[in-house]
Amino acid sequence: QKEVEQDPGPLSVPEGAIVSLNCTYSNSAFQYFMWYRQYSRKGPELLMYTYSSGNKEDGRFTAQVDKSSKYISLFIRDSQPSDSATYLCAMSGKSGGTSYGKLTFGQGTILTVHP
Amino acid sequence: DAGVTQSPTHLIKTRGQQVTLRCSPKSGHDTVSWYQQALGQGPQFIFQYYEEEERQRGNFPDRFSGHQFPNYSSELNVNALLLGDSALYLCASSLVGAVNQPQHFGDGTRLSIL
């Protein structure tokens, strides 16, 4: 069983829709949770970062972490064609007293927003 | 503000050869991590370098080795290349001890093994 499970999709939605992306994990040591967006032939771009449980909002994006259920989500409101990309969840625990060590990624969800 | 830069962008090798990939971290960052991303998969952690030493290592064979230089730039070396080594190799940088500053990625080197 993988440490981080993410539905690979693909997910296709109309412009303006609310998109929900999810990941589950099994490692209780994870404390830092991230969402990256990756366009074709590009590296992952950090979208959202959350420490421990809770919600975080940034513009059209909202990240939620439920550590008790080992479940994280990313919501995209008013989705745009430019949001079409692969979305990767990533998480890490503390490493040697620093905040960020090895990132463990989900498989990625391919999202297409059509006009 | 220069982000993470990687070179070359694309490389073609044959089985058994050796390859070196290069990474310059984002300005102000001192830690470099390397990841392998196979087609249709999420990145897999190879190793992380800080203060010119390997601090953490993922589940990769010894054919994968690295180095960090005093200016924080880094190299990834892969020996005895296999067809399965074909992937996008990503470099990420961060700052040790920095709060709320996760890893930033470059655009990667796409390695094709023939």
Side-chain angles (χ1 to χ4, degrees), chain A residues 41, chain B residues 4-13 18-24 34 74-77 87-91 106-112:
Chain A
R41 300 186 181 280
Chain B
V4 179
T5 58
Q6 293 187 243
S7 63
T9 56
H10 193 185
L11 205 51
I12 300 174
K13 292 286 189 178
Q18 177 265 342
V19 68
T20 297
L21 311 181
R22 295 176 176 81
C23 171
S24 292
W34 287 92
S74 177
E75 289 182 348
L76 165 65
N77 301 293
L88 179 67
Y89 288 85
L90 295 163
C91 171
D107 285 338
T109 294
R110 186 162 298 280
L111 177 62
S112 301

Side-chain angles (χ1 to χ4, degrees), chain A residues 54-67:
Chain A
N55 295 354
K56 184 173 183 178
E57 186 173 322
D58 184 1
R60 297 185 295 111
F61 298 91
T62 299
Q64 291 184 349
V65 175
D66 182 349
K67 290 191 71 178

Side-chain angles (χ1 to χ4, degrees), chain B residues 53-100:
Chain B
E53 291 189 357
E54 183 182 292
R55 296 176 66 233
Q56 278 189 296
R57 189 179 182 92
N59 189 25
F60 279 81
D62 291 345
R63 297 186 298 109
F64 290 78
S65 63
H67 188 78
Q68 186 179 33
F69 299 94
N71 66 352
Y72 308 120
S73 67
S74 177
E75 289 182 348
L76 165 65
N77 301 293
V78 187
N79 294 323
L81 288 166
L82 304 174
L83 291 178
D85 295 332
S86 294
L88 179 67
Y89 288 85
L90 295 163
C91 171
S93 71
S94 55
L95 181 62
V96 164
V99 178
N100 297 338

Side-chain angles (χ1 to χ4, degrees), chain A residues 2 8 32 34 36 38 41-46 48-49 51 56 86 88 94-108, chain B residues 31 33 35 37 40-45 48 55-58 88 90 94-108 110:
Chain A
K2 293 183 179 180
Y32 302 93
M34 289 138 276
Y36 286 86
Q38 187 173 26
R41 300 186 181 280
K42 291 289 189 179
E45 169 195 11
L46 181 67
M48 299 288 285
Y49 147 84
Y51 171 66
K56 184 173 183 178
T86 297
L88 296 156
K94 279 193 173 181
S95 171
T98 65
S99 299
Y100 299 105
K102 164 189 172 181
L103 292 182
T104 301
F105 283 85
Q107 184 177 353
Chain B
T31 302
S33 302
Y35 294 81
Q37 186 176 23
Q41 301 296 317
Q44 297 290 314
F45 176 78
Q48 183 180 80
R55 296 176 66 233
Q56 278 189 296
R57 189 179 182 92
L88 179 67
L90 295 163
S94 55
L95 181 62
V96 164
V99 178
N100 297 338
Q101 292 191 31
Q103 296 176 25
H104 293 257
F105 285 81
D107 285 338
R110 186 162 298 280

